[in-house]
Amino acid sequence: MNAQLVSGEHGVLAVFNETGVFAAADVHVARRVAALSGADIGDHELLAVALAVRAVRTGSTCVKLDEIGQIAPETPESDDDATPVELPWPDPAELVAALTTSPLVTGCPSGPLRPLALVTSDDGPLLYLRKYFRQEQTIREILAQRRAQRPTVDAAALAAALAAVFGDEQPGGYDRQRAAAALAATSWTTVLAGGPGTGKTYTVARILAVMEELLGQDVRIGLCAPTGRAAAQMQASINDHRTSLRALHTEPAATTVHKLLGWRPDGSYRRGADDRLPYDVVVVDETSMLPVSMMSSLLESLRPHARLILVGDPHQLSSVDAGAVLADLVERRDRADTPLPEAFAAVAAPPPGEFDEAERLALADGVITLTRGHRYGGQISEVAAAIKAAAGTEVDAVVDLICGEGADRFADDDQGRVILVDPDDLEPVRRTVIDWARRLRDTATAGDARGALAALMAHRVLCAHRDGRHGVSGWSRTILGWINDDADARTGAAQWYPGEPILVNRNDPTHRIFNGDSGVVIADGDETSVVFARGKDIQPLRPSQIADSSPVYAMTIHRSQGSQFEAVTVVLPDADAHLLTKELLYTAVTRAQQHVFIVGTEAELRAALSRSVQRASGLGSAVREIS
């Protein structure tokens, strides 16, 4: 029996469970909530609870009730040829009417239990598990309070600070990095968005230097990121920029958001409204990975007059948990037309035509997007931009740019190529992998740590799944077969051989390695070491110091976020795979600096471009609870 099927379920939820719309957990929670309510719960209300639970399980914070009929059954692979089932979805208006008077929304006779929240929005009626509605409301209310007033900043002092850090203004266009620093100085909350290679971390280092100029060298700075690896990368990057800047004297230490807030085993945090963070400035990197629950806790923990700088790419894959907070904040649709901060307008007002209307409103709301990429160029740059915009007929333009006549103008370009590779003819990928393995082995055998680390980042195979023939496990076997068939690339007989690429699978702050870090084994006299890059520095460890690792011949696209490689091979899953989205493709393509091989068919490429991650949320518009 399928483990996701609920034994003995014969009610309204049975058919939704049998077709895969609801997992067993969705059904069990709905039944349990109904039993705890002490009220007579009807079929519409049972369905609503299961929908709200499913929404969180699949990454949303709420359900768009007007669109429930578009939820597709997740039919098991063994039943691909099965006749589609007509699901008994209720009319949305009838469902809203039933919920408006439901004790699950208004209050249960068994006590203060009100597990559901029903609200109106620009997207129609939304249904939440109340916990997530409260978290969104916390985010909305605190950000509104922080927007309602501005820091007091003298325009002349701000201009002097910008000049000290960035130098004199240069002719030839509006400097968005300089503008971002001015915006962060004149706003309590700033969102610094931008794609890979647009200089976000470079800009953050300069923002902190400007803060130091304005607030003094004793300014208290907190740096954090959702993962230990992202925090370590930010720390290394800030340190590198500090060395080149010679303007930032403060040495802030980066940590995870969990540690910053004082995470407890029960899921709560020590920090909060009654125990605020002690910082004057808090920077959160990789904010696209931050779920709504953690964002609400972070905002509650900030002192009202602490500056918050949220950094990330809203077009990358979102958090594993519920919410897409960064995208919601960047793409809000209910912005008021407010004036720019006075000091900002005096020193960094954009010239006419620099921003469109949406960007202008966002700027006044503390949101600025860096657009000038420095990581890649050529075809990769155009494809990445086209993927972000892909919708409807624009899909054809992206396909043409990758494998049609539009790609012809890049044929002689050695930089920034994107090539679709037939899954039945993997010779271009095999040659690239063999060259990569040879380079790894040669540098590692020679004990050349810096050369081996450069070789490690020369290529990576990126997959959507961990398992299966399209996944990390299947491709790792294929790559090992290719390498062992080549005398100049062949691996050692045991683990920890020179040239072996290693992926860390568990955080180990003691040795400063984190889940997702990659390193390479090198010869070290008669022994071996594993070396990791930390910005411009190299960190060596003995194999015995690494508690949990695995060879990394391929990795998931999700784990590759925050990394960059000279070239990547992107393996597309089957066209009907739910993970295959344009966000997945964009994230994978933008990991590369020079070359991208996309292994898949045109049908799979079109499927990726035609499907977006659907995360329902109320943060992007005004909402009102229906009590």
Side-chain angles (χ1 to χ4, degrees):
M1 178 179 175
N2 188 326
Q4 288 296 317
L5 292 180
V6 178
S7 176
E9 176 62 45
H10 300 295
V12 65
L13 304 180
V15 66
F16 293 94
N17 179 218
E18 290 166 359
T19 55
V21 171
F22 294 151
D26 307 334
V27 176
H28 285 309
V29 172
R31 288 293 183 189
R32 184 61 176 161
V33 167
L36 289 172
S37 70
D40 184 14
I41 301 300
D43 286 350
H44 281 8
E45 295 155 284
L46 273 176
L47 184 68
V49 177
L51 279 170
V53 175
R54 177 191 181 277
V56 173
R57 176 174 59 82
T58 56
S60 296
T61 56
C62 60
V63 184
K64 295 181 180 179
L65 293 180
D66 285 346
E67 299 178 6
I68 57 174
Q70 300 174 23
I71 298 176
E74 299 174 16
T75 307
E77 291 183 8
S78 59
D79 297 334
D80 284 344
D81 297 326
T83 303
V85 176
E86 188 70 26
L87 292 170
W89 291 110
D91 178 76
E94 293 179 4
L95 184 55
V96 170
L99 289 170
T100 301
T101 58
S102 169
L104 300 180
V105 172
T106 61
C108 298
S110 61
L113 181 70
R114 296 174 62 205
L116 300 180
L118 182 65
V119 307
T120 61
S121 76
D122 296 340
D123 294 317
L126 305 177
L127 178 69
Y128 289 82
L129 291 178
R130 185 166 295 277
K131 168 186 174 180
Y132 293 92
F133 178 63
R134 286 174 176 165
Q135 290 172 349
E136 278 196 4
Q137 284 294 83
T138 295
I139 294 171
R140 183 179 288 107
E141 291 167 3
I142 293 178
L143 288 178
Q145 291 167 6
R146 294 172 66 85
R147 280 195 300 269
Q149 51 183 315
R150 308 281 191 183
T152 301
V153 179
D154 179 74
L158 177 58
L162 293 172
V165 174
F166 288 89
D168 295 332
E169 290 190 66
Q170 300 297 316
Y174 187 68
D175 187 346
R176 292 198 179 203
Q177 294 179 336
R178 191 186 192 100
L183 189 64
T186 56
S187 307
W188 292 124
T189 305
T190 304
V191 178
L192 178 62
T198 52
K200 295 188 295 293
T201 309
Y202 172 95
T203 305
V204 166
R206 277 149 182 77
I207 288 173
L208 297 180
V210 168
M211 295 298 181
E212 193 178 80
E213 291 284 331
L214 289 173
L215 304 178
Q217 293 186 18
D218 59 348
V219 60
R220 294 166 297 179
I221 297 172
L223 303 178
C224 62
T227 67
R229 174 169 165 266
Q233 287 180 321
M234 176 169 59
Q235 180 74 72
S237 297
I238 294 292
N239 286 342
D240 288 345
H241 291 311
R242 281 184 68 251
T243 302
S244 60
L245 258 181
R246 297 182 182 176
L248 179 59
H249 301 88
T250 309
E251 297 186 29
T255 186
T256 63
V257 181
H258 289 82
K259 189 171 182 180
L260 188 81
L261 297 179
W263 181 83
R264 296 186 178 114
D266 64 358
S268 64
Y269 297 99
R270 179 173 63 85
R271 297 289 186 177
D274 297 326
D275 187 5
R276 308 274 187 166
L277 291 166
Y279 303 111
D280 303 305
V281 181
V282 174
V283 179
V284 185
D285 199 13
E286 298 289 357
T287 309
S288 63
M289 300 167 66
L290 208 64
V292 67
S293 56
M294 193 174 292
M295 177 63 85
S296 66
S297 296
L298 175 65
L299 289 172
E300 285 183 312
S301 302
L302 291 174
R303 294 185 303 121
H305 290 165
R307 288 172 172 84
L308 173 65
I309 302 165
L310 303 173
V311 185
D313 183 355
H315 300 286
Q316 283 191 186
L317 292 169
S318 301
S319 161
V320 173
D321 297 319
V325 178
L326 183 66
D328 288 336
L329 297 182
V330 172
E331 299 166 6
R332 277 184 57 200
R333 290 164 292 167
D334 63 335
R335 300 191 198 278
D337 191 355
T338 57
L340 292 168
E342 289 185 12
F344 176 89
V347 302
E354 174 66 27
F355 293 138
D356 61 27
E357 181 64 12
E359 288 180 313
R360 185 187 67 79
L361 292 174
L363 186 67
D365 200 24
V367 179
I368 187 167
T369 300
L370 303 181
T371 56
R372 186 179 302 169
H374 305 281
R375 176 179 295 182
Y376 45 68
Q379 192 180 6
I380 294 179
S381 180
E382 292 199 24
V383 167
I387 291 172
K388 286 194 295 185
T393 57
E394 294 170 354
V395 168
D396 293 332
V398 184
V399 173
D400 179 70
L401 189 58
I402 294 174
C403 53
E405 293 181 2
D408 292 345
R409 56 194 170 93
F410 298 102
D412 298 324
D413 187 357
D414 289 334
Q415 303 295 318
R417 289 300 314 275
V418 182
I419 301 169
L420 187 68
V421 177
D422 187 335
D424 295 325
D425 182 12
L426 296 174
E427 183 58 22
V429 178
R430 189 194 71 82
R431 289 197 306 267
T432 300
V433 167
I434 293 300
D435 289 344
W436 172 66
R438 288 175 178 174
R439 183 177 165 189
L440 264 177
R441 197 175 82 163
D442 290 346
T443 53
T445 302
D448 179 3
R450 203 166 292 279
L453 285 169
L456 177 67
M457 308 311 286
H459 181 258
R460 192 63 52 89
V461 172
L462 305 178
C463 306
H465 301 283
R466 288 188 181 90
D467 303 316
R469 63 190 180 93
H470 294 309
V472 171
S473 59
W475 265 83
S476 294
R477 289 191 296 270
T478 297
I479 292 169
L480 273 173
W482 288 342
I483 292 174
N484 285 322
D485 286 341
D486 185 271
D488 295 326
R490 192 167 297 146
T491 68
Q495 193 184 19
W496 309 118
Y497 62 85
E500 183 178 24
I502 295 296
L503 185 70
V504 176
N505 296 319
R506 189 198 311 171
N507 289 339
D508 183 359
T510 301
H511 293 110
R512 297 194 304 122
I513 54 175
F514 301 93
N515 185 8
D517 273 343
S518 58
V520 59
V521 181
I522 66 168
D524 187 1
D526 295 332
E527 300 182 337
T528 58
S529 293
V530 185
V531 291
F532 298 87
R534 286 290 176 260
K536 295 178 181 178
D537 298 326
I538 294 174
Q539 179 186 1
L541 293 173
R542 293 299 183 192
S544 59
Q545 293 176 297
I546 303 174
D548 189 355
S549 66
S550 56
V552 58
Y553 298 103
M555 68 191 305
T556 62
I557 295 170
H558 202 281
R559 286 188 99 178
S560 76
Q561 291 189 98
S563 299
Q564 63 184 65
F565 309 93
E566 290 178 20
V568 298
T569 294
V570 183
V571 182
L572 299 183
D574 292 331
D576 59 355
H578 292 284
L579 281 177
L580 188 59
T581 64
K582 72 175 186 178
E583 289 83 2
L584 184 90
L585 183 61
Y586 169 82
T587 301
V589 166
T590 55
R591 297 309 94 202
Q593 296 171 295
Q594 297 178 11
H595 300 286
V596 179
F597 296 110
I598 300 177
V599 177
T601 64
E602 184 176 318
E604 290 163 349
L605 179 60
R606 287 182 177 277
L609 295 166
S610 303
R611 187 183 300 134
S612 293
V613 173
Q614 299 298 321
R615 290 207 166 188
S617 162
L619 273 180
S621 64
V623 300
R624 181 179 62 82
E625 184 173 9
I626 302 173
S627 56

